[in-house]
Amino acid sequence: EPITDRIAGVKEITNERFDQLTVNEYPMGVGLSPHVDTHSAFAGDILSLSLGSSAVMEFRKGEDHRRLFVPRRSLLAMTGESRLAWQHYIPHRKTDKVGAKVVKRTMRTSITFRTVRKQGGCSCPFPEQCDSQGAALPPTRMLEKSQQQQQAEAESMLEKARKFPEMEKDHVHGVYDCIAGHFSSTRFAIWPEVKRFLDGMPEHSLVGDIGCGNGKYFGAAKHCRVVGGDLSFELVQLCKNRGHEVVQLDVVRPPYRQNLFDGVISIAVLHHMSTFERRLAAMTSIVNLLRPGGLALVTVWAMEQEEVKKMKKWKKLSHGDSREGASVPVLGKDYLVPWSVPFHRPEAGEVAKQSGKVDEQKGLVVFERFYHVFERGELEYLVNYIPNVTVMRCVYDRSNWCITVRRDT
């Protein structure tokens, strides 16, 4: 009797006809990764004919887990909920335990019958598993393992990021404490991308400004409460003198509890981190400060600078991530960027002259600030290491890359 006639005699099958056939061979030890057959691609029930070898097929839905012995020459019909809402898979192994017996596998051939969906999408009662209704496809075990490995790598990188490298001590922290007043006098304009972000925050939102500099954004959103801090003691004192609610903080380990803020901004901060691990740690800390659904805006200097002439004064460094033993991507470029303080400024005092380079001819004390300038796509790459985060927007704005992310859970 033809197999198609025998299938037609199974009353539980609802498909009028099957028009797609897939034949797979599985050598001994090879199984099937967990999956739900795509709702949008195939309609109705799915049949699987097993030939050559038996196997144990496993089904899971959330925490529920079921095992089913599939003998050779048997027909498995997945209908209704088992077809639409349960992942099915065959573990990769050479034997199966069935009751008290150990059954050895051989070469298995699977013939799968499906019906291609001709028009429209799926409107089943399982939207959490239905790609037609906007659900993401459930992750396979291999993908879950990959995500777990990636998360373990990220945690290892965070541990390495706890200590301040000498490069940052000398060319970031020390410099900003020396130039705080002069730096602040040049920082008053509100960037359009930051204004767009703050204007979009709901009324009465609590916003954290991580790496606030001279605090120019504290008053930029009257409908929100903005608090924050900076690593530079001198910049923090300047903010306090202006009446702002500010603390001295390390962006890698800010002194705020997690899930606190509706929104976070970190403007021109991440590019002062001298290693990939430090940049990842900073971005992760920023995300962890957000409540679920909260948004963060992070901006960094871009390799695509609008004023190319200025870059001629920059001193290119060997890349911080190309060091021996490093196992992280080498992206972007590292530079020392000069900051010049005129002799008449109070910041150009004796202590500053000891820290900076004195140019007697031009009447300047020149400091060198460390910058890691980001290439296109580098911010998104960094965010991909952090679980449960969605990139909402990434744009180029006035020689900067600006990324907006949402914390999902």
Side-chain angles (χ1 to χ4, degrees):
E1 184 180 4
I3 185 66
T4 52
D5 291 345
R6 296 176 66 181
I7 290 173
V10 180
K11 296 179 181 179
E12 290 80 6
I13 296 172
T14 60
N15 301 46
E16 292 184 7
R17 59 190 295 269
F18 293 94
D19 54 13
Q20 198 269 351
L21 188 71
T22 302
V23 180
N24 286 314
E25 283 191 337
Y26 300 94
M28 183 174 65
V30 177
L32 177 67
S33 296
H35 68 286
V36 174
D37 284 75
T38 310
H39 292 201
S40 62
F42 304 109
D45 306 328
I46 293 178
L47 309 182
S48 176
L49 177 63
S50 294
L51 302 175
S53 176
S54 63
V56 170
M57 182 174 288
E58 304 199 16
F59 292 80
R60 69 180 183 187
K61 179 185 177 187
E63 297 299 319
D64 203 349
H65 185 268
R66 314 284 178 89
R67 301 173 77 246
L68 178 67
F69 179 62
V70 181
R72 59 186 293 270
R73 299 187 59 158
S74 66
L75 182 70
L76 172 68
M78 288 181 281
T79 66
E81 183 177 341
S82 68
R83 145 74 178 110
L84 297 168
W86 288 68
Q87 286 186 312
H88 61 279
Y89 62 101
I90 297 176
H92 299 273
R93 58 191 181 215
K94 295 184 178 181
T95 61
D96 290 304
K97 190 172 182 181
V98 182
K101 294 183 179 180
V102 175
V103 180
K104 187 176 181 180
R105 291 187 197 170
T106 58
M107 174 73 77
R108 175 176 172 270
T109 301
S110 168
I111 303 175
T112 305
F113 299 81
R114 301 183 181 91
T115 301
V116 175
R117 190 180 297 278
K118 300 299 188 299
Q119 58 184 1
C122 177
S123 57
C124 69
F126 307 102
E128 68 281 359
Q129 301 288 349
C130 183
D131 62 311
S132 289
Q133 300 180 56
L137 296 178
T140 64
R141 284 280 175 88
M142 292 182 67
L143 178 59
E144 288 178 340
K145 185 176 180 181
S146 174
Q147 291 172 336
Q148 290 169 359
Q149 290 176 340
Q150 192 177 51
Q151 188 168 355
E153 289 175 6
E155 290 172 356
S156 174
M157 290 180 184
L158 292 180
E159 284 303 313
K160 294 179 182 178
R162 299 301 185 190
K163 294 183 179 181
F164 290 115
E166 292 300 319
M167 177 64 74
E168 293 178 36
K169 289 181 182 178
D170 296 339
H171 294 282
V172 181
H173 312 155
V175 169
Y176 277 101
D177 274 342
C178 285
I179 68 172
H182 186 234
F183 173 80
S184 177
S185 68
T186 67
R187 295 299 186 266
F188 47 84
I190 305 299
W191 287 11
E193 190 65 18
V194 182
K195 185 178 187 304
R196 184 203 66 82
F197 179 86
L198 292 175
D199 287 349
M201 293 300 299
E203 191 172 4
H204 307 305
S205 292
L206 181 61
V207 178
D209 188 349
I210 307 302
C212 65
N214 69 346
K216 70 177 182 179
Y217 291 113
F218 284 133
K222 302 297 183 184
H223 64 295
C224 299
R225 177 72 179 276
V226 184
V227 300
D230 199 278
L231 186 61
S232 167
F233 175 80
E234 296 298 332
L235 286 172
V236 168
Q237 291 304 115
L238 191 151
C239 290
K240 286 184 176 180
N241 292 339
R242 293 176 177 177
H244 300 312
E245 187 174 338
V246 63
V247 296
Q248 187 174 18
L249 60 77
D250 172 11
V251 65
V252 173
R253 289 177 288 184
Y256 301 112
R257 66 173 174 83
Q258 296 186 3
N259 310 313
L260 175 62
F261 293 108
D262 301 297
V264 170
I265 58 174
S266 187
I267 310 305
V269 176
L270 229 62
H271 54 220
H272 288 311
M273 305 290 169
S274 59
T275 66
F276 180 85
E277 292 93 345
R278 295 271 296 159
R279 294 187 286 276
L280 175 61
M283 181 68 84
T284 302
S285 296
I286 289 167
V287 169
N288 288 341
L289 292 175
L290 293 170
R291 62 166 179 78
L295 299 173
L297 171 66
V298 175
T299 75
V300 294
W301 278 18
M303 285 178 59
E304 302 81 357
Q305 290 289 305
E306 293 176 356
E307 298 183 53
V308 180
K309 290 183 179 180
K310 283 188 176 181
M311 297 182 69
K312 294 180 180 180
K313 297 180 180 180
W314 299 3
K315 184 187 297 182
K316 189 175 180 181
L317 302 173
S318 58
H319 202 293
D321 295 323
S322 61
R323 61 196 183 280
E324 186 176 351
S327 58
V328 296
V330 179
L331 302 171
K333 293 182 179 179
D334 293 347
Y335 292 93
L336 290 179
V337 180
W339 181 276
S340 300
V341 180
F343 279 176
H344 70 270
R345 292 285 309 188
E347 295 84 2
E350 289 304 317
V351 175
K353 289 178 181 178
Q354 294 173 15
S355 302
K357 296 178 181 179
V358 178
D359 187 336
E360 295 284 358
Q361 185 176 359
K362 295 183 178 179
L364 301 171
V365 179
V366 182
F367 298 87
E368 292 181 317
R369 298 174 297 163
F370 173 84
Y371 277 84
H372 172 82
V373 293
F374 281 65
E375 64 181 77
R376 179 187 294 271
E378 187 175 348
L379 274 174
E380 296 96 320
Y381 184 89
L382 197 67
V383 171
N384 283 339
Y385 274 81
I386 307 172
N388 305 314
V389 176
T390 299
V391 175
M392 306 300 292
R393 172 183 169 92
C394 191
V395 298
Y396 176 84
D397 180 34
R398 298 168 60 184
S399 299
N400 288 263
W401 286 112
C402 311
I403 192 169
T404 302
V405 299
R406 181 188 68 209
R407 181 177 179 182
D408 296 327
T409 58

